[in-house]
Amino acid sequence: MPKPEAIIATPAVPLNSNVALAKASLFKFAGLLGIVFILATGLLFFVAKNLDSNEESENAFYAQKAVESLEKNLRSTIKDYAFWGDGYLHLHKTVDTDWAFTRQNLGPTLYSDFGLPGLFVVNAADRTVYSVLRGELNTVDAANWLGQPIGALLAQARQGAENEAVVTTFLNVHGMPALIAAAALTPGADPTVQPDNGPSSVLLFVEMLDSAKLEAMGKDYGIKGLHIATPDEIHKSSILPLGEGGSAGGLHWEAATPSTRLLGLMLPLIAIAALLVVFMIWAIIRRTTAAARALDCSYESLQLSQLALAQSEARFRDVAEASSDWIWEIDQQWRFTYLSERFESVTGLSRDLWIGANIDDLLRMELGTVSQWLSIPKRRQSISVQCSYVDLKRSARFTRISARGLVNQGFRGTATDITDEVEARRRIEFLSQHDALTGLPNRTRLQEFLDGKLKAAPTPEHPLVMLILDLDRFKPVNDLLGHAAGDEVLNEVSRRLGECVRSGDLVARIGGDEFVLILNDLGSVEQVEIACRRLIDSIEKPVKVEDQEVFVSASIGIAMAPNDATQAAELLRYADIALYEAKAGGRKTWRFYANEMNTKIIERRQLENDLRYGIAHGELRLHFQPRFRIADGQMVGAEALVRWQHPRRGLIPPDTFIPIAEETGLILALSNWVLTTACERAARWPTNLFVSVNLSPTEFQRGNLVERIGVAITTTGLQAQRLELEVTESVMLEDALGALEVMRALKRIGVRLSMDDFGTGYSSLSYLRSFPFDGLKIDRSFVSRLGESEEDRSIIKAIVGLGRALSLSVTAEGIETVQHMDLLKEVCCEEGQGYFLSRPLNNDDFESLLMAGQELGKT
Ligand code: C2E
Ligand code: CA
Ligand code: CA
């Protein structure tokens, strides 16, 4: 019997070579693993860099947006002034400094209200003839101030005169980037002003991008540390060049580095994995060496190396499966011959079903097919392509594949899932075109849509209808119920608007509570009106917010292409003008744009300017209408009523200009004048007479009303109880709690409060009970009908009774006849006022009346 050792020893492979073989294959495997680790680390760095550059390009995108919006604003501001009949008259041939600066038509308010540091008018001979710098009148040459020649800019602006085009450019003004807008002066849409044929004057607006401005812009657009780039920053990334080739400097911001976190997390993990593998290999080498030593036989040694190979393959497979990519192989007929396990977990599809299937059936490219791409003769292997496929849940996913040719013809490659990345990109695209709150298209999308529609040239038979819809009474919702409730209402309104339009129409949100609708296929005015009715009805249905029912309504302005305009900007402007008319027409309604509206707006703007000037230059007058005790005809006081002595239009009644003052904020200045003048005069009257002053609802919201009244009383020395303030119910409608607080504070000062126009509102009665009024004034509409209807008589009787019950003094307004007087006496109304007793009198007449009264011993 042969010795076992002899049998084992026969295949005379030296022991050392067995060990060497095992070691060699292990080293190869280790080398492979090393490469995999290096690849993984490389990939990680690549992803990290991508992450940074994505974030960075988002920053750059928003920086660009911020600058664009600045430019857009400046353009629209300069348009208002450059293409304007009055502006042309007063600035083009000769400059009327009084009109422009003193009367603030093109003066310091541009600095104080819009923050515009520089404005210039350059005349036809290129001479600067008017300039306002930081709100001060100055005679400085525009080119000097800007520190560079501006001939080219002027020429460009003049070229644009005919189309009313504005030129903007960025310049470097003494080391600081500045945005310059230039526009030729033209009469605009004013048909009464004839332009001459010579070269135009040019209006220049200069906006400086100083650090405060940039900080505000950065805040608006979420860009950290936005500032002017220093010379050594100018070559870095995170830079937005301004002007041609960055000639005006550049904007720089803090670079974003989301990758630092990713690397901080992943690198140690990879290092630990690598350490583990090294340790494993070391252990294996020790074991295999030991095993090889124990074996004498080449057969077993062979088995060992096979085992090592199998192990190494298994390990390689593990590594392949551990990566998030899947690996594929196809043969010459483009059929899958191999798909890694990862394929199933990433796509959810079955490997068994797809092996043998054509790669083109799985993966789609935007242009051509994958097989065509693979067939490109000298295709570069480093380039990958984006493909899409449908996963198990039938939703679209995106993957990036790379491929290498195999020696036996066919291809092998990896597929990286990039669905998240593609979706993120799409989301950004969507966000830039849609409103974040309601998801409706925003101004940008609207503009695109409109341009497309207008290019298709609508006809009068098939017009393009634009509606601008603005919510009525939305502000109180926000103020009383909070912004969350306001948001809910906006969302609900958006949903309803969407329901009212057809596919192919567009609903966009362009401001807080302003929407634009673009409607197709409405051929007749009737159809448009039906649509408007439907929209308003739908919005007027109550909106449920946290168990409360909120009611809002809407006003609509309509403009149509091509009849009203064929340009998007014009259509928007005209629809806006029509909206204004709809609001003026009592809200909850709609108006079609008509040419006269434009003229009306121009006139109104003129009036607004005149009023600003008039208030500051003593054009206001105060008339007084006496109030009498009905029982014995004694005067008890007088109501101060403001008028405006306009230099051209004569005496203007308050109904014409108070609404303008309220809208433009001039009401505070106006009312301050009325208050002090009324108190001053009344302080000279006999002490048993009071003066009553009308307050606007807006004054209650602007704060510091209590302080203003306090100042008026102390500076004039009038006793507080001789001042009465008349307020209307709308004060309480707007903000009941706020109004109550203000009124209580006023009562603490000691002034009297009376409710004006009583009976015209909805809930005057409930307000009377809960607010600290001293009196009420029955609206003159009731008094004027007194003779006619028994009903009005009983209403007045009831009001007088109510007043007595609540110990309020009751005044009847608008007493015009002796009959009115008799009837009011009959129902025991306390006080009265009206043309029959006395018209409102100017100061002199009123003081004569007082003198006469004194002579008669009456007052
Ligand atoms: P109001 O407070 O109801 O003022 C009474 C208005 O009725 C005055 O018109 C007065 O001239 C007019 N009136 C007086 N007696 C008669 C009469 O017998 N028959 C008729 N048909 N009318 C009579 P006025 O002065 O044009 O003022 C209109 C409105 O302008 C006022 O209505 C008031 O709401 C507002 N207003 C006037 N002055 C001021 C002011 O200084 N500040 C504010 N915020 N509003 C003012
Ligand atoms: Ca009044
Ligand atoms: Ca009144």
Side-chain angles (χ1 to χ4, degrees):
M1 207 179 145
K3 283 204 267 175
E5 291 88 34
I7 298 169
I8 294 168
T10 32
V13 179
L15 174 78
N16 268 354
S17 84
N18 267 336
V19 175
L21 214 69
K23 269 193 177 168
S25 50
L26 264 170
F27 278 131
K28 264 189 210 153
F29 171 65
L32 253 168
L33 274 179
I35 293 173
V36 168
F37 273 114
I38 291 170
L39 274 180
T41 315
L43 196 71
L44 184 66
F45 274 99
F46 175 73
V47 169
K49 215 181 126 215
N50 250 352
L51 211 61
D52 279 354
S53 80
N54 278 353
E55 180 89 13
E56 199 41 48
S57 51
E58 204 171 299
N59 267 343
F61 170 78
Y62 282 117
Q64 181 76 35
K65 273 266 159 295
V67 170
E68 275 169 18
S69 134
L70 185 75
E71 216 174 325
K72 211 161 102 195
N73 284 344
L74 194 63
R75 273 173 182 277
S76 74
T77 313
I78 198 172
K79 263 188 193 166
D80 279 351
Y81 289 92
F83 313 137
W84 176 24
D86 269 11
Y88 189 81
L89 280 180
H90 291 102
L91 295 170
H92 172 48
K93 275 276 138 76
T94 50
V95 174
D96 181 349
T97 314
D98 178 57
W99 178 89
F101 190 81
T102 321
R103 299 178 63 174
Q104 311 244 34
N105 282 300
L106 186 70
T109 46
L110 275 162
Y111 179 59
S112 55
D113 296 355
F114 294 105
L116 204 70
L119 76 85
F120 300 90
V121 175
V122 179
N123 73 5
D126 283 357
R127 219 166 54 77
T128 308
V129 285
Y130 176 68
S131 56
V132 180
L133 300 177
R134 302 204 179 277
E136 313 239 333
L137 189 61
N138 241 310
T139 33
V140 177
D141 182 59
N144 273 350
W145 195 75
L146 293 169
Q148 50 210 299
I150 52 168
L153 186 66
L154 297 177
Q156 246 181 310
R158 289 190 180 116
Q159 260 172 18
E162 202 159 331
N163 307 326
E164 303 202 334
V166 175
V167 185
T168 51
T169 181
F170 283 95
L171 294 179
N172 190 317
V173 176
H174 308 298
M176 186 179 286
L179 173 60
I180 326 285
L185 292 178
T186 75
D190 193 338
T192 58
V193 181
Q194 274 309 313
D196 65 29
N197 289 327
S200 324
S201 302
V202 176
L203 179 62
L204 293 172
F205 278 8
V206 184
E207 174 92 85
M208 301 301 293
L209 273 69
D210 53 15
S211 51
K213 182 93 208 163
L214 290 176
E215 193 183 330
M217 279 163 65
K219 224 174 177 180
D220 286 349
Y221 283 83
I223 311 164
K224 262 198 213 154
L226 190 64
H227 63 274
I228 298 165
T230 58
D232 40 318
E233 280 169 349
I234 211 109
H235 301 296
K236 287 189 183 164
S237 57
S238 312
I239 186 112
L240 178 71
L242 298 172
E244 223 165 285
S247 57
L251 299 187
H252 187 252
W253 54 86
E254 265 173 44
T257 50
S259 65
T260 326
R261 260 189 60 204
L262 181 71
L263 290 179
L265 198 74
M266 292 300 290
L267 280 181
L269 281 182
I270 290 183
I272 290 171
L275 271 176
L276 276 177
V277 168
V278 167
F279 174 73
M280 239 163 66
I281 289 172
W282 173 74
I284 290 168
I285 287 179
R286 256 184 49 157
R287 274 203 16 220
T288 33
T289 320
R293 279 216 184 89
L295 295 171
D296 316 297
C297 150
S298 70
Y299 169 67
E300 281 183 22
S301 153
L302 198 69
Q303 266 192 336
L304 187 75
S305 56
Q306 266 173 356
L307 183 76
L309 196 66
Q311 273 179 339
S312 126
E313 261 180 11
R315 233 170 265 130
F316 181 71
R317 208 172 45 239
D318 285 351
V319 171
E321 294 308 336
S323 112
S324 63
D325 300 353
W326 46 276
I327 297 166
W328 51 269
E329 267 175 37
I330 51 172
D331 60 16
Q332 278 166 284
Q333 276 75 48
W334 319 110
R335 288 178 310 218
F336 286 114
T337 52
Y338 169 77
L339 286 165
S340 65
E341 257 174 59
R342 225 26 230 171
F343 173 76
E344 299 202 333
S345 55
V346 173
T347 65
L349 302 171
S350 149
R351 279 200 292 172
D352 293 344
L353 285 181
W354 279 96
I355 297 279
N358 193 303
I359 191 169
D360 289 337
D361 292 339
L362 177 68
L363 301 174
R364 299 280 151 90
M365 288 173 49
E366 217 152 82
L367 290 175
T369 62
V370 177
S371 53
Q372 282 168 350
W373 172 65
L374 290 170
S375 315
I376 295 173
K378 281 184 184 154
R379 186 178 60 84
R380 276 180 38 210
Q381 302 208 330
S382 57
I383 290 183
S384 56
V385 287
Q386 178 178 325
C387 301
S388 63
Y389 65 90
V390 178
D391 72 3
L392 192 65
K393 293 179 204 135
R394 307 226 52 80
S395 47
R397 298 191 64 87
F398 297 90
T399 187
R400 177 167 288 286
I401 62 167
S402 62
R404 261 162 207 283
L406 296 175
V407 250
N408 57 355
Q409 310 280 303
F411 292 91
R412 171 190 294 155
T414 56
T416 315
D417 193 83
I418 51 166
T419 309
D420 290 348
E421 186 189 316
V422 170
E423 266 166 11
R425 213 163 49 214
R426 286 197 177 162
R427 236 175 71 79
I428 289 178
E429 230 163 73
F430 180 87
L431 283 180
S432 71
Q433 297 218 322
H434 290 80
D435 162 44
L437 174 64
T438 61
L440 288 181
N442 62 12
R443 231 175 230 284
T444 318
R445 173 81 193 99
L446 169 68
Q447 185 74 36
E448 242 172 46
F449 183 85
L450 255 183
D451 287 344
K453 286 277 171 196
L454 289 170
K455 261 203 200 107
T459 59
E461 295 76 42
H462 300 282
L464 186 72
V465 180
M466 171 186 282
L467 311 183
I468 295 191
L469 184 148
D470 188 289
L471 297 186
D472 300 328
R473 308 207 37 76
F474 176 68
K475 200 179 165 296
V477 176
N478 251 344
D479 291 353
L480 292 177
L481 303 178
H483 282 271
D487 288 353
E488 236 171 278
V489 171
L490 286 174
N491 268 320
E492 176 59 19
V493 166
S494 305
R495 204 186 54 72
R496 291 184 193 173
L497 292 179
E499 274 177 358
C500 289
V501 303
R502 290 183 264 187
S503 73
D505 295 348
L506 181 93
V507 182
R509 177 168 175 238
I510 58 165
D513 57 352
E514 238 180 89
F515 300 85
V516 168
L517 289 87
I518 308 292
L519 309 179
N520 304 285
D521 300 328
L522 295 180
S524 67
V525 168
E526 291 75 42
Q527 282 177 314
V528 177
E529 298 208 299
I530 291 171
C532 290
R533 181 75 274 154
R534 203 171 55 223
L535 285 166
I536 294 179
D537 283 349
S538 149
I539 288 175
E540 281 184 338
K541 287 196 194 109
V543 181
K544 234 186 154 94
V545 178
E546 293 166 4
D547 301 335
Q548 291 207 45
E549 294 207 319
V550 175
F551 294 86
V552 288
S553 184
S555 308
I556 303 178
I558 309 155
M560 299 207 256
N563 279 1
D564 295 330
T566 52
Q567 300 291 313
E570 271 191 330
L571 262 185
L572 270 165
R573 195 157 69 94
Y574 290 164
D576 206 36
I577 290 173
L579 170 69
Y580 187 90
E581 286 293 315
K583 292 211 167 240
R587 299 168 187 261
K588 300 185 183 191
T589 183
W590 59 86
R591 288 284 184 275
F592 287 86
Y593 171 75
N595 232 339
E596 311 84 72
M597 291 179 180
N598 206 2
T599 332
K600 251 169 96 178
I601 297 253
I602 292 172
E603 251 174 44
R604 195 183 155 92
R605 188 153 73 171
Q606 182 63 51
L607 208 59
E608 181 190 322
N609 278 330
D610 288 356
L611 182 59
R612 191 186 308 275
Y613 178 86
I615 293 173
H617 292 81
E619 290 177 6
L620 295 180
R621 302 282 177 271
L622 212 49
H623 285 195
F624 295 96
Q625 185 177 34
R627 200 200 283 178
F628 299 91
R629 197 151 49 224
I630 291 182
D632 57 5
Q634 287 262 358
M635 190 195 297
V636 289
E639 177 173 3
L641 295 162
V642 69
R643 274 100 184 83
W644 175 18
Q645 186 67 53
H646 190 281
R648 275 173 294 129
R649 298 174 188 227
L651 202 64
I652 303 185
D655 292 333
T656 313
F657 62 88
I658 295 275
I660 298 181
E662 284 175 344
E663 246 169 61
T664 54
L666 290 170
I667 189 72
L668 280 191
L670 183 147
S671 181
N672 276 339
W673 180 86
V674 170
L675 265 170
T676 8
T677 314
C679 292
E680 242 166 45
R681 303 264 167 81
R684 301 202 301 256
W685 300 347
T687 51
N688 59 342
L689 296 183
F690 64 81
V691 65
S692 75
V693 172
N694 293 286
L695 290 183
S696 273
T698 41
E699 293 179 67
F700 269 78
Q701 291 146 23
R702 297 273 168 90
N704 80 337
L705 175 65
V706 182
E707 191 190 322
R708 288 171 45 219
I709 303 282
V711 169
I713 289 174
T714 37
T715 52
T716 58
L718 185 74
Q719 287 168 295
Q721 64 270 26
R722 290 182 59 207
L723 174 63
E724 179 179 273
L725 300 175
E726 298 190 7
V727 296
T728 54
E729 184 192 287
S730 49
V731 165
M732 287 147 278
L733 270 177
E734 291 288 333
D735 172 11
L737 284 181
L740 183 60
E741 208 173 290
V742 173
M743 285 193 204
R744 284 194 177 141
L746 289 173
K747 283 311 301 172
R748 280 197 289 275
I749 297 182
V751 296
R752 289 158 47 94
L753 294 174
S754 74
M755 188 190 268
D756 206 356
D757 305 343
F758 185 83
T760 52
Y762 304 102
S763 25
S764 320
L765 199 59
S766 62
Y767 288 134
L768 261 196
R769 282 214 191 86
S770 32
F771 287 79
F773 284 110
D774 301 282
L776 65 86
K777 297 181 84 174
I778 306 174
D779 191 68
R780 58 176 182 273
S781 56
F782 291 100
V783 179
S784 65
R785 289 191 303 249
L786 252 187
E788 298 158 22
S789 92
E790 188 58 36
E791 201 183 327
D792 281 308
R793 205 155 118 192
S794 49
I795 288 178
I796 291 200
K797 203 165 166 185
I799 297 177
V800 171
L802 175 88
R804 199 166 301 130
L806 295 172
S807 32
L808 301 171
S809 71
V810 178
T811 306
E813 285 188 319
I815 303 174
E816 289 183 345
T817 62
V818 68
Q819 283 86 3
H820 291 161
M821 212 38 198
D822 291 343
L823 287 166
L824 286 164
K825 240 181 219 160
E826 221 170 81
V827 298
C828 300
C829 182
E830 259 176 284
E831 291 170 3
Q833 189 178 338
Y835 292 170
F836 174 71
L837 300 169
S838 163
R839 292 198 166 247
L841 304 169
N842 66 31
N843 194 49
D844 290 349
D845 289 347
F846 184 73
E847 283 188 354
S848 324
L849 180 74
L850 289 183
M851 300 281 279
Q854 234 152 12
E855 272 164 28
L856 293 171
K858 258 194 154 182
T859 50

PDB file of all heavy atoms in Angstrom, residues 843-855:
ATOM      1  N   ASN A 843     -64.723 131.714   5.675  1.00  0.00           N
ATOM      2  CA  ASN A 843     -64.356 132.152   7.018  1.00  0.00           C
ATOM      3  C   ASN A 843     -64.899 133.542   7.345  1.00  0.00           C
ATOM      4  O   ASN A 843     -65.474 133.770   8.406  1.00  0.00           O
ATOM      5  CB  ASN A 843     -62.845 132.116   7.162  1.00  0.00           C
ATOM      6  CG  ASN A 843     -62.453 132.221   8.603  1.00  0.00           C
ATOM      7  OD1 ASN A 843     -62.997 131.499   9.448  1.00  0.00           O
ATOM      8  ND2 ASN A 843     -61.557 133.143   8.911  1.00  0.00           N
ATOM      9  N   ASP A 844     -64.755 134.469   6.376  1.00  0.00           N
ATOM     10  CA  ASP A 844     -65.209 135.831   6.640  1.00  0.00           C
ATOM     11  C   ASP A 844     -66.711 135.866   6.923  1.00  0.00           C
ATOM     12  O   ASP A 844     -67.158 136.478   7.895  1.00  0.00           O
ATOM     13  CB  ASP A 844     -64.887 136.734   5.441  1.00  0.00           C
ATOM     14  CG  ASP A 844     -63.388 136.964   5.335  1.00  0.00           C
ATOM     15  OD1 ASP A 844     -62.677 136.586   6.308  1.00  0.00           O
ATOM     16  OD2 ASP A 844     -62.936 137.482   4.296  1.00  0.00           O
ATOM     17  N   ASP A 845     -67.462 135.184   6.023  1.00  0.00           N
ATOM     18  CA  ASP A 845     -68.915 135.193   6.195  1.00  0.00           C
ATOM     19  C   ASP A 845     -69.306 134.543   7.517  1.00  0.00           C
ATOM     20  O   ASP A 845     -70.220 135.002   8.210  1.00  0.00           O
ATOM     21  CB  ASP A 845     -69.596 134.454   5.038  1.00  0.00           C
ATOM     22  CG  ASP A 845     -69.488 135.256   3.738  1.00  0.00           C
ATOM     23  OD1 ASP A 845     -69.114 136.445   3.830  1.00  0.00           O
ATOM     24  OD2 ASP A 845     -69.746 134.687   2.657  1.00  0.00           O
ATOM     25  N   PHE A 846     -68.591 133.482   7.838  1.00  0.00           N
ATOM     26  CA  PHE A 846     -68.938 132.787   9.078  1.00  0.00           C
ATOM     27  C   PHE A 846     -68.661 133.687  10.285  1.00  0.00           C
ATOM     28  O   PHE A 846     -69.469 133.779  11.212  1.00  0.00           O
ATOM     29  CB  PHE A 846     -68.162 131.472   9.199  1.00  0.00           C
ATOM     30  CG  PHE A 846     -68.545 130.668  10.414  1.00  0.00           C
ATOM     31  CD1 PHE A 846     -69.773 130.007  10.473  1.00  0.00           C
ATOM     32  CD2 PHE A 846     -67.699 130.582  11.513  1.00  0.00           C
ATOM     33  CE1 PHE A 846     -70.136 129.278  11.585  1.00  0.00           C
ATOM     34  CE2 PHE A 846     -68.062 129.843  12.640  1.00  0.00           C
ATOM     35  CZ  PHE A 846     -69.283 129.195  12.676  1.00  0.00           C
ATOM     36  N   GLU A 847     -67.514 134.409  10.231  1.00  0.00           N
ATOM     37  CA  GLU A 847     -67.205 135.278  11.368  1.00  0.00           C
ATOM     38  C   GLU A 847     -68.185 136.444  11.464  1.00  0.00           C
ATOM     39  O   GLU A 847     -68.567 136.852  12.568  1.00  0.00           O
ATOM     40  CB  GLU A 847     -65.739 135.733  11.302  1.00  0.00           C
ATOM     41  CG  GLU A 847     -64.870 134.583  11.757  1.00  0.00           C
ATOM     42  CD  GLU A 847     -63.392 134.912  11.935  1.00  0.00           C
ATOM     43  OE1 GLU A 847     -62.980 136.039  11.597  1.00  0.00           O
ATOM     44  OE2 GLU A 847     -62.675 134.017  12.413  1.00  0.00           O
ATOM     45  N   SER A 848     -68.652 136.956  10.298  1.00  0.00           N
ATOM     46  CA  SER A 848     -69.678 138.010  10.341  1.00  0.00           C
ATOM     47  C   SER A 848     -70.945 137.476  10.993  1.00  0.00           C
ATOM     48  O   SER A 848     -71.603 138.173  11.771  1.00  0.00           O
ATOM     49  CB  SER A 848     -70.054 138.513   8.949  1.00  0.00           C
ATOM     50  OG  SER A 848     -68.952 138.535   8.124  1.00  0.00           O
ATOM     51  N   LEU A 849     -71.265 136.227  10.643  1.00  0.00           N
ATOM     52  CA  LEU A 849     -72.468 135.623  11.230  1.00  0.00           C
ATOM     53  C   LEU A 849     -72.326 135.569  12.748  1.00  0.00           C
ATOM     54  O   LEU A 849     -73.251 135.885  13.497  1.00  0.00           O
ATOM     55  CB  LEU A 849     -72.665 134.219  10.669  1.00  0.00           C
ATOM     56  CG  LEU A 849     -73.889 133.456  11.180  1.00  0.00           C
ATOM     57  CD1 LEU A 849     -75.160 134.011  10.561  1.00  0.00           C
ATOM     58  CD2 LEU A 849     -73.790 131.970  10.885  1.00  0.00           C
ATOM     59  N   LEU A 850     -71.115 135.202  13.203  1.00  0.00           N
ATOM     60  CA  LEU A 850     -70.883 135.131  14.649  1.00  0.00           C
ATOM     61  C   LEU A 850     -71.045 136.514  15.289  1.00  0.00           C
ATOM     62  O   LEU A 850     -71.664 136.664  16.331  1.00  0.00           O
ATOM     63  CB  LEU A 850     -69.481 134.596  14.949  1.00  0.00           C
ATOM     64  CG  LEU A 850     -69.240 133.108  14.670  1.00  0.00           C
ATOM     65  CD1 LEU A 850     -67.828 132.731  15.091  1.00  0.00           C
ATOM     66  CD2 LEU A 850     -70.258 132.246  15.396  1.00  0.00           C
ATOM     67  N   MET A 851     -70.462 137.552  14.610  1.00  0.00           N
ATOM     68  CA  MET A 851     -70.540 138.916  15.128  1.00  0.00           C
ATOM     69  C   MET A 851     -72.000 139.343  15.249  1.00  0.00           C
ATOM     70  O   MET A 851     -72.431 139.870  16.276  1.00  0.00           O
ATOM     71  CB  MET A 851     -69.831 139.900  14.193  1.00  0.00           C
ATOM     72  CG  MET A 851     -68.361 139.599  13.990  1.00  0.00           C
ATOM     73  SD  MET A 851     -67.409 140.180  15.366  1.00  0.00           S
ATOM     74  CE  MET A 851     -67.311 141.887  14.898  1.00  0.00           C
ATOM     75  N   ALA A 852     -72.763 139.094  14.167  1.00  0.00           N
ATOM     76  CA  ALA A 852     -74.172 139.485  14.143  1.00  0.00           C
ATOM     77  C   ALA A 852     -74.890 138.796  15.291  1.00  0.00           C
ATOM     78  O   ALA A 852     -75.686 139.405  16.017  1.00  0.00           O
ATOM     79  CB  ALA A 852     -74.801 139.104  12.805  1.00  0.00           C
ATOM     80  N   GLY A 853     -74.582 137.515  15.446  1.00  0.00           N
ATOM     81  CA  GLY A 853     -75.217 136.729  16.506  1.00  0.00           C
ATOM     82  C   GLY A 853     -74.920 137.330  17.856  1.00  0.00           C
ATOM     83  O   GLY A 853     -75.790 137.466  18.705  1.00  0.00           O
ATOM     84  N   GLN A 854     -73.631 137.796  18.004  1.00  0.00           N
ATOM     85  CA  GLN A 854     -73.258 138.329  19.292  1.00  0.00           C
ATOM     86  C   GLN A 854     -74.004 139.631  19.581  1.00  0.00           C
ATOM     87  O   GLN A 854     -74.447 139.860  20.689  1.00  0.00           O
ATOM     88  CB  GLN A 854     -71.750 138.586  19.310  1.00  0.00           C
ATOM     89  CG  GLN A 854     -71.112 137.904  20.476  1.00  0.00           C
ATOM     90  CD  GLN A 854     -69.678 137.560  20.180  1.00  0.00           C
ATOM     91  OE1 GLN A 854     -69.098 138.018  19.191  1.00  0.00           O
ATOM     92  NE2 GLN A 854     -69.096 136.769  21.025  1.00  0.00           N
ATOM     93  N   GLU A 855     -74.094 140.414  18.462  1.00  0.00           N
ATOM     94  CA  GLU A 855     -74.816 141.658  18.637  1.00  0.00           C
ATOM     95  C   GLU A 855     -76.238 141.392  19.097  1.00  0.00           C
ATOM     96  O   GLU A 855     -76.807 142.073  19.924  1.00  0.00           O
ATOM     97  CB  GLU A 855     -74.856 142.443  17.325  1.00  0.00           C
ATOM     98  CG  GLU A 855     -73.648 143.352  17.174  1.00  0.00           C
ATOM     99  CD  GLU A 855     -73.479 143.810  15.750  1.00  0.00           C
ATOM    100  OE1 GLU A 855     -74.494 143.900  15.020  1.00  0.00           O
ATOM    101  OE2 GLU A 855     -72.331 144.064  15.354  1.00  0.00           O
TER     102      GLU A 855
END
